[in-house]
Amino acid sequence: MAKADVVAMILAGGQGARLGVLTKYIAKPAVPFGSRYRIIDFTLSNCANSGIETVGVLSQYQPLALNTYVGNGHPWDLDRNNGGAYILPPYQRSGRSDWYKGTANAIFQNKDFIDDCDPLYVLILSGDHIYKMNYARMLRDHISTKADATLAVLEVPWEEASRFGILNTGANDIISEFVEKPKKPESNLASMGVYIFTWEVLRKALIEDEENPGSSNDFGSNIVPMLLKQGKKLCAYRFSGYWKDVGTISSLWEANMDILDRPEDINLMDRSWRVYSRNPVKPSHYIADGATVINTAMTDGCQIFGSVEHSVLSNSVTIERGAVVKDSVLLPGVTVRAGAYLNKCIVGFDTIIGEGVRAGADVEGESPYLNTKICTNGIVVIERGLKIKDHSVIPPNCQVDCDKSVSAEKNVIEEVFRVRKT
Amino acid sequence: MFIDAMGLILADNKKITLGELSKPRALAAVPFGGRYRIIDYMLSDMVNSGIKSVGILTLNKYKSLMDHLGTGASWDLDRKNFGLHILPPYVNSESMGVDDADEMAGLLNFIRSNRSAYVIIANSNMILNTTFNDFVDKHEQSGADVSVMYNRDGIKYGVPNYIFEIDRKGYVKDMLFNPEKTVSNRCSLGIAVLRRELLIDLIADMIARGERNFGVHVLTKKFDTLHIRAHEYKGLVLRINNVQSYFNWTGMPIYTKVKDEAPALYLENSSVSNSILSDGCRIMGTVENSMLFRGVTVSRNSKIKNCVIMQDVHISENCELENVILDKNAVIRPGIKLVGHKDYPVVIGKGAIV
C-alpha cells in the first residue's frame, strides 16, 4: 500500500435505528438524500474535493447497498492506483472475531490498514452528516497548532447546546473539557464528529482504550476524555456553514426541505465544490402538459403528470394525473397513482401509492401504524417495495412497515414485492 | 448477450449538416435529448449488445467528441483489451494533409489489430434503442457478404436518404440516393455488418485503387460484386429530427458522460408544461413544449416556448423565446425577445451572448 500523509476513515457501520424502515435493508449512509444523492456522498465528496485520496469506509450493518454504492470509488475520483476507496468490514481472525463494538474499536480493528498507509494524520468522519467542508484547511490548522487532535466544532444556538456533545475551550480554542449533552452548557461549541488525530497519538490511545474493559470504545465518550486527562493538546476548529446530522426521521425530512428552503446554505449548485454521486443512468425528467411543479427538486427519469409542491423527488419517480404531492420526499422508483394525496411523507424505493390514497400530516383518521417513536412532526414513513391499497387513509406520524402485524381490515398493504436491496 | 463483433461508428456525415449546431463539432457530438449526445445511442446499442471494442472514425472537429467520450468509462469501454478507440485522420510523413485515404489507412490498422469475427459499421445520425445480436445472427445464417439495415418510414424525414431496391431473395439489387421518384420505401439506416476479414480486403482494395471515401453506403454500393442482404428493422427510429416521442421508451439504458450536476430546482413562480428538463436546471420562469439540457437557468418573468436549450445556457429576466435553438453556454441578456418560425427556428451559436 502506498504511503499517504492523511487517511480518512468514514464510520458508516451504524444501523441508524431511528430512521425506522428506511434503514431496514440498508445502512444509514446509503439512504437516498436530496433527490440525486445518498447521505454518504457528502462526506465522500468532501474527501475528494479536499484532496484526500485514501479513504476507508467502515461498514457493518446491512452493508450490501453501501458496498455496491461505494464500489471502487469511481464517482468520487477514488479509483486510484495509489490509495482510493477501501471498504473495511469487521473480519474474523485466528482465535476470535469481533463486530465493531464502538467507533473507536472500529478504528482499532483497522489499525493494520492505517499502519500500512503509514500516515502522519488520520481524519475520522461520520457517514451520516450533510455538510460541505474543506478538510484540508482543518488539517493545515492541525499542523500549525501542533495539536495532538483537532475537533471540528459548530457554534450552535445556546438553547440547543444541551442536545449536543459540547466542547469547553480556553485560549486559542484549546479544548479543556468534553461534555456529552450538558444540562447547563458552559459553551455553545458542538462537536461535529469530525476529528483529525496525529496517528502516533491516536494509535497509542486506541490500544490503551482497548485494554480498558470498562470503556465503551467510543471517540466522544472515551478517547477524547482520555486524551484530555493525559494532558494532550486538543484544539477546536471552528466550522461555519451548513451542517446537519440526519439521524432521525424529522431531521432527515428537514435536511431534504433545506435544499428547497435554504438552497444558498446547502449550495448544491456550487461547481467548485460539487457533490458527486453514482448515476442511475436514466433519461432527463419529463413534465407533462397540465402538470404543476412548484418549489421542487427532481432528477433524471421522473415523469410528472400531476401536481408537486415543495418536495424532493429521487430518480424515476412517476406522479400520475390528479395526484397531489406536498412537502414530501420520494425515494427512487416511487409511483403515485391518480388522485392520491401525500403530505409530509417519506416513501421508500419502488413503492406504489394506490389510487386515491390519502396520507400525511393533515389527513385525519386512526391507524395501527402510528409510531411516534420514529415519526414526529406529522411525518409519515412508508417502507420500500409495497403496493398501498387504493383509497387507504394513513394519518400523521405513521410508519407503514410490512413486518407489523395489523388486522386485515386496517391493513393498507396490498402487496409486498421483492425489490432491489441496494 | 454474447456477440463476436466489434463496432465502428462514423462520427461525421458529409451529407448532413445541422447549421450552427454542427459547426463547432462532429455530428455525433451534437447534444441531443436533454442529457445526451447523438453518439450515445449507437454507442450504448453496441455496448448493450455485448460489444467490447468500438472504433470511432472522425474527420475533423473532433475535440468536442473527445471531451465527451474521454476514456470510454461511461460506457464501460475503458478496458485493457480493446475498449474505445477514437480514430482521427491518420497523418504520416508521406501524406501532407488530412484526407480520407489517410483515414482509411488508420482504420485498416485498427481493424487488423482486432480479433472479432464481425464488424458492425454504423453512421451516427440514427437514434434507435436496440441490440445487434439478432442482426448479426441472421447475417451469419444467411451466408450473405454484407447485411444492411433499413426501415420503411425513412422518407418522411426527408433528404438525405438512400433507398434500396431488393430482389425476391431479399438481396440489394439497386441503391438510389435521394431519388426524385420513390421506387421503394426501403430506406437505409446506415448500419451494416460483415466479416472482419472481408472488410480488411475491401478497404485494402479501396486504398489500392485510390478511392478516398469510406462509409456504409460506399460498401453497399458494391451490390453487383457482393451479396448484400437487406434486413428490415421494425423498431422505432429517429433520424435526427423531432426530439419528443422517445422519452417513454422502455429499452436498454443509454449511457452518457456524467456531469454531477445538482438536481433540477423548480422555484416559486415557475410554471412548466410538456417539457423535458435535466439536472442542474434552475427554473424561475415559464417553460412550455421545450427541451432543456443540463445546467440551464431560466430567470424570473422569462417565457420559453418550443425551444431546445443546450447545456449551461443562461436566460436572464424578462426574456421571451419562441422556436429557438440555443447552443451550449449561450447567454440571453435581460429583456431580449427572440421569435423564430416553427419550420425555421432561430439558432443561436455556441457561447453567443445575445
Side-chain angles (χ1 to χ4, degrees):
Chain A
M1 214 174 290
K3 183 175 162 53
D5 285 342
V6 56
V7 171
M9 300 291 272
I10 302 179
L11 300 162
Q15 177 184 355
R18 288 172 301 161
L19 291 185
V21 289
L22 296 182
T23 51
K24 196 189 262 188
Y25 303 107
I26 61 179
K28 181 162 63 167
V31 169
F33 172 81
S35 178
R36 55 163 294 153
Y37 309 103
R38 305 273 184 137
I39 293 169
I40 199 174
D41 283 333
F42 286 79
T43 311
L44 286 171
S45 300
N46 284 342
C47 288
N49 288 325
S50 304
I52 293 169
E53 296 172 349
T54 306
V55 179
V57 178
L58 297 109
S59 69
Q60 172 160 290
Y61 172 81
Q62 287 284 14
L64 176 65
L66 186 65
N67 293 0
T68 43
Y69 188 72
V70 174
N72 66 352
H74 174 251
W76 306 273
D77 267 355
L78 290 170
D79 54 332
R80 315 187 73 94
N81 289 328
N82 295 323
Y86 296 85
I87 307 269
L88 303 168
Y91 54 92
Q92 226 174 17
R93 66 212 82 176
S94 60
R96 50 179 252 184
S97 57
D98 283 316
W99 294 106
Y100 294 151
K101 286 181 284 180
T103 52
N105 177 256
I107 304 296
F108 173 80
Q109 291 201 37
N110 285 292
K111 83 184 172 330
D112 289 349
F113 167 78
I114 302 175
D115 277 341
D116 280 2
C117 299
D118 193 19
L120 292 169
Y121 310 103
V122 173
L123 174 61
I124 307 290
L125 303 166
S126 294
D128 49 6
H129 295 160
I130 305 297
Y131 66 121
K132 289 174 137 192
M133 179 175 179
N134 191 339
Y135 304 134
R137 255 183 228 160
M138 180 173 166
L139 181 63
R140 218 165 49 203
D141 269 25
H142 177 79
I143 295 168
S144 68
T145 56
K146 298 196 173 68
D148 295 302
T150 301
L151 282 66
V153 295
L154 190 73
E155 283 179 52
V156 293
W158 279 95
E159 60 272 20
E160 286 179 27
S162 55
R163 285 176 33 220
F164 293 92
I166 293 296
L167 295 164
N168 299 334
T169 58
N172 297 325
D173 278 345
I174 293 175
I175 297 164
S176 55
E177 198 184 359
F178 173 84
V179 210
E180 187 68 59
K181 296 182 182 152
K183 288 220 172 68
K184 282 190 192 144
E186 290 170 43
S187 129
N188 67 337
L189 298 179
S191 169
M192 294 164 61
V194 174
Y195 312 97
I196 292 178
F197 290 96
T198 300
W199 173 230
E200 210 187 309
V201 175
L202 178 63
R203 194 176 188 284
K204 205 163 144 271
L206 289 172
I207 293 168
E208 280 172 38
D209 179 62
E210 195 61 23
E211 283 164 357
N212 175 5
S215 169
S216 55
N217 307 116
D218 185 79
F219 272 100
S221 35
N222 304 106
I223 299 290
V224 170
M226 183 171 85
L227 291 175
L228 284 172
K229 216 157 88 191
Q230 291 172 352
K232 299 278 192 242
K233 185 177 179 186
L234 274 64
C235 292
Y237 172 81
R238 287 172 192 255
F239 172 78
S240 60
Y242 187 90
W243 179 85
K244 198 151 216 156
D245 180 344
V246 286
T248 63
I249 287 292
S250 78
S251 66
L252 179 68
W253 179 84
E254 262 170 41
N256 271 291
M257 294 303 138
D258 284 344
I259 289 177
L260 308 171
D261 303 336
R262 303 164 60 188
E264 277 74 26
D265 293 340
I266 202 161
N267 203 6
L268 296 175
M269 295 277 179
D270 179 4
R271 289 193 167 175
S272 65
W273 199 274
R274 281 181 203 264
V275 182
Y276 302 102
S277 62
R278 206 168 270 281
N279 193 276
V281 191
K282 297 283 174 193
S284 300
H285 59 273
Y286 175 62
I287 314 280
D289 210 1
T292 329
V293 180
I294 302 168
N295 219 340
T296 287
M298 75 173 87
T299 185
D300 299 340
C302 289
Q303 300 189 60
I304 312 300
F305 303 88
S307 162
V308 198
E309 195 181 326
H310 200 249
S311 295
V312 175
L313 274 49
S314 296
N315 75 76
S316 313
V317 167
T318 304
I319 296 176
E320 294 185 359
R321 211 165 279 283
V324 176
V325 175
K326 259 175 77 179
D327 299 337
S328 293
V329 178
L330 308 186
L331 303 193
V334 167
T335 302
V336 183
R337 290 269 156 82
Y341 173 80
L342 301 180
N343 182 352
K344 247 186 161 176
C345 293
I346 304 180
V347 184
F349 284 88
D350 298 324
T351 282
I352 300 168
I353 305 292
E355 280 181 30
V357 168
R358 291 176 56 76
D362 59 352
V363 171
E364 285 178 15
E366 277 190 23
S367 170
Y369 293 101
L370 192 72
N371 185 339
T372 46
K373 242 195 202 153
I374 300 289
C375 305
T376 51
N377 298 333
I379 299 167
V380 166
V381 177
I382 300 175
E383 197 185 339
R384 63 164 63 196
L386 306 181
K387 161 79 207 291
I388 303 297
K389 277 183 200 159
D390 293 354
H391 306 291
S392 309
V393 173
I394 307 170
N397 299 325
C398 279
Q399 174 177 258
V400 179
D401 178 352
C402 69
D403 291 332
K404 189 177 169 65
S405 58
V406 171
S407 67
E409 86 232 47
K410 296 240 162 123
N411 197 342
V412 299
I413 302 169
E414 184 176 319
E415 197 190 337
V416 180
F417 38 87
R418 198 201 123 75
V419 294
R420 56 198 155 144
K421 297 287 192 289
T422 54
Chain B
M1 210 177 71
F2 175 77
I3 193 166
D4 191 3
M6 60 182 283
L8 195 60
I9 299 175
L10 312 172
D12 281 284
N13 191 325
K14 285 177 202 152
K15 302 218 162 59
I16 297 172
T17 54
L18 299 177
E20 286 284 347
L21 301 182
S22 56
K23 223 181 231 173
R25 51 175 88 90
L27 177 67
V30 171
F32 181 81
R35 63 194 291 272
Y36 304 108
R37 304 284 183 137
I38 286 172
I39 198 171
D40 291 341
Y41 283 80
M42 191 52 71
L43 202 50
S44 299
D45 289 347
M46 288 184 172
V47 169
N48 289 332
S49 306
I51 290 174
K52 294 182 171 54
S53 171
V54 181
I56 315 275
L57 207 61
T58 64
L59 290 178
N60 50 25
K61 304 182 288 194
Y62 44 78
K63 186 214 157 245
S64 161
L65 188 66
M66 288 173 71
D67 281 352
H68 179 65
L69 297 172
T71 60
S74 300
W75 299 266
D76 274 348
L77 287 172
D78 52 334
R79 290 169 184 267
K80 287 186 178 167
N81 292 316
F82 310 117
L84 183 79
H85 287 262
I86 299 173
L87 306 168
Y90 183 78
V91 183
N92 59 29
S93 54
E94 283 131 55
S95 66
M96 294 300 288
V98 173
D99 76 10
D100 299 327
D102 306 323
E103 180 195 328
M104 276 200 275
L107 176 62
L108 193 59
N109 288 342
F110 172 68
I111 297 169
R112 275 200 176 124
S113 69
N114 210 283
R115 55 173 185 242
S116 312
Y118 292 95
V119 184
I120 295 172
I121 310 177
N123 284 340
S124 53
N125 59 324
M126 296 295 157
I127 304 280
L128 69 167
N129 188 345
T130 186
T131 51
F132 296 119
N133 307 63
D134 182 54
F135 180 50
V136 175
D137 289 348
K138 293 257 167 64
H139 171 73
E140 194 167 16
Q141 289 154 19
S142 73
D145 296 318
V146 179
S147 285
V148 62
M149 271 193 190
Y150 70 88
N151 74 351
R152 290 168 184 270
D153 76 340
I155 294 163
K156 73 174 189 210
Y157 292 91
V159 296
N161 59 41
Y162 286 90
I163 303 295
F164 294 131
E165 275 191 69
I166 65 173
D167 65 16
R168 277 191 301 176
K169 286 182 180 160
Y171 286 95
V172 175
K173 64 173 183 186
D174 203 1
M175 182 178 80
L176 297 135
F177 178 57
N178 297 345
E180 290 277 327
K181 270 196 236 155
T182 36
V183 284
S184 146
N185 61 358
R186 294 185 172 86
C187 194
S188 174
L189 290 179
I191 301 167
V193 63
L194 71 167
R195 288 201 78 83
R196 189 173 59 89
E197 275 101 17
L198 175 62
L199 183 63
I200 291 171
D201 289 350
L202 289 171
I203 294 175
D205 183 63
M206 285 161 74
I207 293 172
R209 287 171 198 278
E211 289 182 35
R212 303 178 94 63
N213 278 317
F214 176 74
V216 176
H217 298 114
V218 174
L219 293 179
T220 52
K221 211 194 254 164
K222 301 182 188 293
F223 53 83
D224 44 2
T225 53
L226 296 170
H227 277 304
I228 297 178
R229 188 182 140 267
H231 176 100
E232 182 169 3
Y233 178 72
K234 295 206 165 107
L236 188 55
V237 181
L238 295 172
R239 293 168 186 254
I240 307 310
N241 232 317
N242 79 61
V243 278
Q244 284 149 5
S245 55
Y246 83 100
F247 183 80
N248 286 327
W249 287 8
T250 49
M252 305 287 278
I254 301 298
Y255 301 96
T256 188
K257 181 172 154 186
V258 172
K259 296 251 180 150
D260 293 295
E261 292 287 357
L265 268 185
Y266 295 84
L267 303 168
E268 308 263 15
N269 307 321
S270 75
S271 158
V272 181
S273 72
N274 196 32
S275 296
I276 289 175
L277 297 96
S278 312
D279 279 350
C281 287
R282 279 159 69 92
I283 311 300
M284 290 158 268
T286 303
V287 179
E288 203 182 311
N289 290 330
S290 296
M291 165 86 65
L292 272 60
F293 285 65
R294 293 182 282 203
V296 171
T297 302
V298 179
S299 308
R300 259 167 232 293
N301 295 322
S302 279
K303 213 179 157 204
I304 313 300
K305 195 178 169 187
N306 302 335
C307 292
V308 175
I309 302 176
M310 296 191 187
Q311 50 273 51
D312 297 328
V313 167
H314 183 93
I315 295 166
S316 313
E317 295 85 10
N318 306 313
C319 293
E320 204 174 306
L321 307 181
E322 191 172 340
N323 299 320
V324 178
I325 298 174
L326 284 163
D327 203 344
K328 214 176 139 173
N329 291 328
V331 176
I332 306 294
R333 288 217 186 90
I336 298 287
K337 189 174 171 181
L338 281 171
V339 181
H341 188 267
K342 194 158 70 82
D343 297 323
Y344 200 81
V346 175
V347 180
I348 306 292
K350 188 172 163 181
I353 299 173
V354 181

